[in-house]
């Protein structure tokens, strides 16, 4: 894991637990930042490669991620309607983690 950002570290830790491996054994390949939307990368662990995306709803639509499963789209809309910033993380285009961020000092 090359990023020192606390949120990035937390995401890698959680995703590592989902694929049953140690964080130190995860290799990041083809990291792409899509401005205003999020990131797309490949994680290699245990001899397998996983496509990982973390970003907003616009990024998920760009890559045809289904957000209707388990009412995820409704949850996103509810969180955004009260001023939260929502980050969706996927593994192989399946939503696995929803992060709701709130910064009280910012007015939206």
């Amino acid at each position: 894991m090359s990023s020192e950002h606390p949120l990035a570290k937390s995401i890698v830790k959680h995703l590592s637990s989902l694929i049953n491996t140690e964080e130190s054994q995860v290799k990041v390949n083809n990291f792409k930042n899509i401005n205003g939307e999020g990131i797309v990368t490949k994680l290699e662990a245990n001899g397998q490669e996983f496509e990982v995306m973390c970003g907003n709803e616009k990024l998920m639509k760009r890559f045809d991620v289904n957000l209707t499963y388990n009412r995820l789209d409704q949850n996103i809309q509810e969180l955004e309607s009260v001023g939260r910033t929502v980050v969706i993380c996927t593994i192989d285009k399946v939503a696995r983690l929803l992060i709701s961020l709130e910064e009280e000092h910012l007015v939206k």
Side-chain angles (χ1 to χ4, degrees), residues 11-37:
I11 291 168
V12 168
K13 181 177 181 176
H14 182 74
L15 294 176
S16 296
S17 72
L18 290 175
I19 57 177
N20 299 316
T21 193
E22 296 293 320
E23 294 169 61
S24 62
Q25 296 176 342
V26 177
K27 182 177 177 186
V28 178
N29 299 318
N30 301 321
F31 184 92
K32 295 176 194 162
N33 178 44
I34 301 173
N35 287 334
E37 295 182 26

